[in-house]
């Protein structure tokens, strides 16, 4: 049947997205994205044009309920982009805290007593773990600790101690890497921006894995300057490395179906071609005269680090280098309802706990607070937390003891200290698994959290999570008082294994009650993960309520 409306032939189709190449929406008011709230990461596709269609302009605009949630989501995206590894995450958090008046607490003999009600303090361990806390103005010995715990590390690739691996027969200089944490491998599509030292490539390359066919950069270096050891952070945003996948055309049918990655042989990134003079750099002749450690380092890598830091190559005595994908976080979905980013697990939780504590300070929360409000961001959760900077270390327990002692409730007053422990509570916040629409059967049918649906409480009958009936009730009541959607629940299917996190570790080591919870997301441990923009708002509101209302909720529960 013919109508008076003009026919429209769509030639370009609808742009699709994968974990590798999130769609960046432009300033299209019909999609609920106005120029005033456009993402700084949104970029138009080169060479694209837009035609105004009169028929389409008569259609009502698509309404969006997500616009009010975008500012906090963009703040989180910037924090994540600035924090490619635990060292930079701690640096970002420390800078934000110092900007609102937090001071570093030297918890040695001289600084241990330098605490006072109304104060704001922080300390770090190994530059990869951070603890920050405020002392309520109405604090009295025996008051409790309100703690939000998270972790700064994410699964990634680290440079091995000897970075020079080999030169391939075809002239590719390669480097040795170790995997850190459980990395998810699967088929994906990657957009190649740069490879090697600035060589330009444009196009879509099909590859395997969320880590293969990724472009990486480095962080963290140790320097020996004037016979004293100094530690310097370095963040190289240029895509100087690439882990190329074997083309699908060179794989057998069996290999394509099975896809097994040999983590030793198949994950060596290419840093450059082996033609020494083509890059204008030095060969490794000079390094052969150096120490034994330097002899085993990739010369181009050492040159790059020295150049970035403005030091001599001989000043570099060691490094702890992490690879990260250079693609920044971006908004996605037709109404910008999602965030696609690396390291949402668990930098989203780090950011929200940090923001929650800062808001508690700036909103005047200390004036009526009688407790210690604390955030703890640990390293090494993805590899078990059993380290000097992990949640399995004495960091939290010792902090509680030293802070209590400095404020008059130390180990010399055991009854007061024990009362403080009983009045304390830990929100162990780590990302949760949202229902995957393509794999819904992987979830227990009555416990399927949804993105943009609110925070998720995680439970496990075998104590893989620390949640119990009372701690779950406390969080649900906090959410109710904050006017949030009902907290969602997650349990694994009985025929699936269950992961764990820092909640049971801290609770068993300190005796402090705890709950495990987090924001729902997809593609956990992928190099590119997805969560809902509303859940940043939900998480921040819950953390604010925790710092403000926990004591009153806790006091209302009769045991």
């Amino acid at each position: 049947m013919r109508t008076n409306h003009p026919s429209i032939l769509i030639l370009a189709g609808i742009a699709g997205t994968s974990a590798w190449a999130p769609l960046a929406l432009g300033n299209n008011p019909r999609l609920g994205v106005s120029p005033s709230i456009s993402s700084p990461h949104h970029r138009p596709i080169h060479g694209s044009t837009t035609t105004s269609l009169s028929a389409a302009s008569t259609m009502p605009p698509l309404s969006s309920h997500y616009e009010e949630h975008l500012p906090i989501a963009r703040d989180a995206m910037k924090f994540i982009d600035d924090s490619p590894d635990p060292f930079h995450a701690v640096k970002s958090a420390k800078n934000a805290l110092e900007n609102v008046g937090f001071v570093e607490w030297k918890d040695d003999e001289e600084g241990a007593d330098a605490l006072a009600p109304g104060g704001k303090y922080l300390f770090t361990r190994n530059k990869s773990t951070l603890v920050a806390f405020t002392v309520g103005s109405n604090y009295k010995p025996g008051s409790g600790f309100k703690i939000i715990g998270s972790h700064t590390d994410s699964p990634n690739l680290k440079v091995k101690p000897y970075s020079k691996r080999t030169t391939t027969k075809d002239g590719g200089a390669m480097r040795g890497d170790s995997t850190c944490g459980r990395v998810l491998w699967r088929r994906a599509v990657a957009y190649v921006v740069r490879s090697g030292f600035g060589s330009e490539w444009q196009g879509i390359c099909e590859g395997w894995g969320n880590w293969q066919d990724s472009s990486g950069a480095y962080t963290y270096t140790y320097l020996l300057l004037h016979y004293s050891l100094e530690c310097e952070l370095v963040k190289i945003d240029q895509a100087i490395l690439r882990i190329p996948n074997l083309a699908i055309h060179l794989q057998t049918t069996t290999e394509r179906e099975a896809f097994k990655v040999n983590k030793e042989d198949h994950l060596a990134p290419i840093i450059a071609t082996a033609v020494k003079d083509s890059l204008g750099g030095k060969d490794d002749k000079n390094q052969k005269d150096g120490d034994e450690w330097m002899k085993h380092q990739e010369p181009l890598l050492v040159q790059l680090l020295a150049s970035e830091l403005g030091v001599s190559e001989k000043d570099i005595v060691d490094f702890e280098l992490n690879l990260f994908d250079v693609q920044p976080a971006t908004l996605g979905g037709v109404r910008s309802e999602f965030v696609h980013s690396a390291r949402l697990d668990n930098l989203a939780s780090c950011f929200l706990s940090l923001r929650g504590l800062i808001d508690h300070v700036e909103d005047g929360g200390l004036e009526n607070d009688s407790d210690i409000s604390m955030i703890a961001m640990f390293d090494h959760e993805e590899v078990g937390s059993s380290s000097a900077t992990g949640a399995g270390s004495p960091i939290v327990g010792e902090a509680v003891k030293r802070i209590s002692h400095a404020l008059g409730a130390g180990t010399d007053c055991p009854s007061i200290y024990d009362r403080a422990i009983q009045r304390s509570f830990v929100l162990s916040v780590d990302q949760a698994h949202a229902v995957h629409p393509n794999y819904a059967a992987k979830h227990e049918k009555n416990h399927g959290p949804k993105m943009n649906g609110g925070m998720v409480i995680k439970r496990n009958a075998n104590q893989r999570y620390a949640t119990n009936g009372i701690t779950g009730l406390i969080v649900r009541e906090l959410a109710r008082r904050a006017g949030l959607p009902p907290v969602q629940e997650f349990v694994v299917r009985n025929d699936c294994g269950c992961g764990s996190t820092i909640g049971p570790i801290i609770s068993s080591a300190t005796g402090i009650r705890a709950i495990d919870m987090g924001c729902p997301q997809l593609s956990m441990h992928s190099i590119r993960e997805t969560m809902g923009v509303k859940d940043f708002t939900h998480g921040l509101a819950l953390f604010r309520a925790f710092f403000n209302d926990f004591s009153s909720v806790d006091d209302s529960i009769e045991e």
Side-chain angles (χ1 to χ4, degrees):
M1 180 176 68
R2 298 182 62 85
T3 68
N4 294 328
H5 296 290
S7 299
I8 301 174
L9 175 64
I10 299 178
L11 299 177
I14 299 177
T17 181
S18 74
W20 280 97
L23 173 65
L25 299 176
N27 298 329
N28 189 339
R30 288 179 40 72
L31 299 182
V33 183
S34 66
S36 62
I37 60 169
S38 61
S39 169
H41 300 300
H42 285 175
R43 297 181 178 90
I45 299 175
H46 293 294
S48 64
T49 58
T50 302
T51 302
S52 177
L53 301 175
S54 59
S57 64
T58 63
M59 297 175 62
L62 294 176
S63 61
S64 174
H65 302 290
Y66 297 93
E67 295 182 12
E68 63 183 287
H69 304 281
L70 295 184
I72 183 65
R74 289 201 179 95
D75 287 346
M77 290 159 61
K78 184 180 187 308
F79 177 84
I80 295 171
D81 287 342
D82 290 342
S83 309
D85 67 359
F87 304 113
H88 284 83
V90 166
K91 178 184 178 182
S92 298
K94 185 178 178 182
N95 289 344
L97 291 164
E98 290 176 341
N99 286 339
V100 294
F102 280 74
V103 295
E104 190 158 5
W105 181 44
K106 302 295 184 180
D107 54 342
D108 51 21
E109 292 184 2
E110 294 182 1
D113 296 330
L115 299 180
K120 305 181 288 290
Y121 310 94
L122 66 88
F123 66 89
T124 64
R125 293 287 184 269
N126 191 48
K127 299 184 183 295
S128 62
T129 290
L130 177 142
V131 175
F133 61 95
T134 62
V135 183
S137 297
N138 299 325
Y139 176 86
K140 295 180 180 179
S143 296
F145 286 71
K146 300 172 294 189
I147 305 171
I148 301 179
S150 58
H151 64 88
T152 59
D153 63 316
S154 302
N156 71 335
L157 300 176
K158 290 179 175 286
V159 178
K160 289 181 178 179
Y162 290 168
S163 61
K164 186 196 302 183
R165 181 179 180 185
T166 184
T167 299
T168 66
K169 294 180 180 179
D170 296 313
M174 306 182 74
R175 260 201 30 271
D177 284 317
S178 299
T179 58
C180 177
R182 294 184 299 170
V183 178
L184 176 63
W185 311 103
R186 69 180 182 80
R187 194 175 184 83
V189 177
Y191 184 71
V192 184
V193 181
R194 296 182 180 91
S195 180
F197 280 75
S199 300
E200 296 292 335
W201 295 82
Q202 292 184 350
I204 299 295
C205 293
E206 186 176 51
W208 283 103
N210 284 338
W211 286 87
Q212 282 185 306
D213 280 340
S214 64
S215 299
Y218 289 117
T219 59
Y220 213 53
T221 303
Y222 299 90
L223 303 176
L224 184 64
L225 299 174
H226 306 298
Y227 301 101
S228 65
L229 187 64
E230 297 182 8
C231 299
E232 295 289 342
L233 290 179
V234 58
K235 179 173 178 280
I236 305 173
D237 288 312
Q238 183 182 0
I240 60 174
L241 300 168
R242 186 164 183 81
I243 306 172
N245 177 52
L246 180 65
I248 192 172
H249 314 81
L250 303 181
Q251 301 176 29
T252 66
T253 301
T254 302
E255 289 172 333
R256 289 197 297 269
E257 292 176 350
F259 181 57
K260 294 181 179 179
V261 174
N262 185 303
K263 290 183 284 188
E264 179 66 22
D265 296 336
H266 299 158
L267 295 182
I270 294 177
I271 190 171
T273 59
V275 182
K276 299 172 183 176
D277 293 339
S278 66
L279 299 174
K282 306 171 185 177
D283 60 21
D284 60 356
K285 180 178 179 180
N286 292 336
Q287 294 196 11
K288 293 179 181 179
D289 298 329
D291 61 26
E292 186 66 23
W293 178 83
M294 187 64 78
K295 292 178 182 179
H296 296 279
Q297 305 309 323
E298 169 56 48
L300 293 174
L301 170 59
V302 176
Q303 293 170 27
L304 175 66
L305 294 174
S307 175
E308 287 289 325
L309 294 168
V311 299
S312 168
E313 296 168 30
K314 295 180 180 179
D315 288 332
I316 299 176
V317 295
D318 208 337
F319 46 61
E320 184 172 345
L321 300 177
N322 300 274
L323 275 66
F324 66 94
D325 186 47
V326 295
Q327 185 177 194
T330 187
L331 295 171
V334 75
R335 294 184 178 91
S336 295
E337 60 260 52
F338 305 116
V339 168
H340 304 305
S341 175
R343 303 179 299 283
L344 289 172
D345 174 27
N346 191 34
L347 291 187
S349 300
C350 290
F351 168 79
L352 291 174
S353 66
L354 171 68
R355 182 70 175 267
L357 185 61
I358 290 175
D359 287 355
H360 181 59
V361 171
E362 294 188 328
D363 293 343
L366 296 187
E367 297 177 4
N368 299 315
D369 197 353
S370 60
D371 297 320
I372 305 294
S373 298
M374 176 184 289
I375 61 173
M377 304 179 185
F378 299 98
D379 198 358
H380 297 149
E381 188 274 345
E382 298 293 359
V383 291
S385 296
S386 297
S387 72
T389 54
S393 71
I395 288 177
V396 169
E398 289 183 354
V400 171
K401 289 180 181 179
R402 292 178 178 179
I403 293 169
S404 297
H405 179 77
L407 293 170
T411 55
D412 54 335
C413 304
S415 61
I416 297 178
Y417 173 75
D418 291 345
R419 189 161 69 242
I421 292 295
Q422 296 305 313
R423 291 180 174 178
S424 298
F425 196 94
V426 174
L427 292 185
S428 166
V429 187
D430 203 353
Q431 296 290 91
H433 297 289
V435 172
H436 194 305
N438 298 337
Y439 299 92
K442 290 293 184 179
H443 276 72
E444 204 282 333
K445 61 181 180 180
N446 293 321
H447 299 83
K450 297 178 176 59
M451 290 189 296
N452 288 313
M455 298 290 285
V456 180
I457 293 176
K458 299 186 278 189
R459 301 177 189 261
N460 182 260
N462 296 312
Q463 291 300 296
R464 300 290 288 172
Y465 298 128
T467 308
N468 60 34
I470 296 297
T471 60
L473 172 63
I474 289 173
V475 168
R476 294 204 309 273
E477 177 61 16
L478 287 171
R480 186 192 68 80
R481 293 192 182 191
L484 292 171
V487 180
Q488 304 184 86
E489 297 274 355
F490 171 79
V491 297
V492 298
R493 290 169 52 102
N494 287 328
D495 55 359
C496 292
C498 182
S500 188
T501 183
I502 64 176
I505 296 173
I506 296 175
S507 188
S508 61
T510 63
I512 298 176
R513 294 169 294 168
I515 187 173
D516 281 299
M517 61 183 307
C519 297
Q521 71 161 72
L522 296 178
S523 306
M524 190 176 293
H525 288 196
S526 296
I527 200 170
R528 200 80 176 164
E529 302 169 330
T530 297
M531 68 176 284
V533 296
K534 284 186 177 181
D535 293 323
F536 286 104
T537 303
H538 296 150
L540 180 56
L542 182 64
F543 295 168
R544 286 171 171 168
F546 175 63
F547 287 135
N548 290 329
D549 301 329
F550 166 74
S551 294
S552 62
V553 172
D554 193 34
D555 291 341
S556 69
I557 298 176
E558 295 184 5
E559 295 189 1

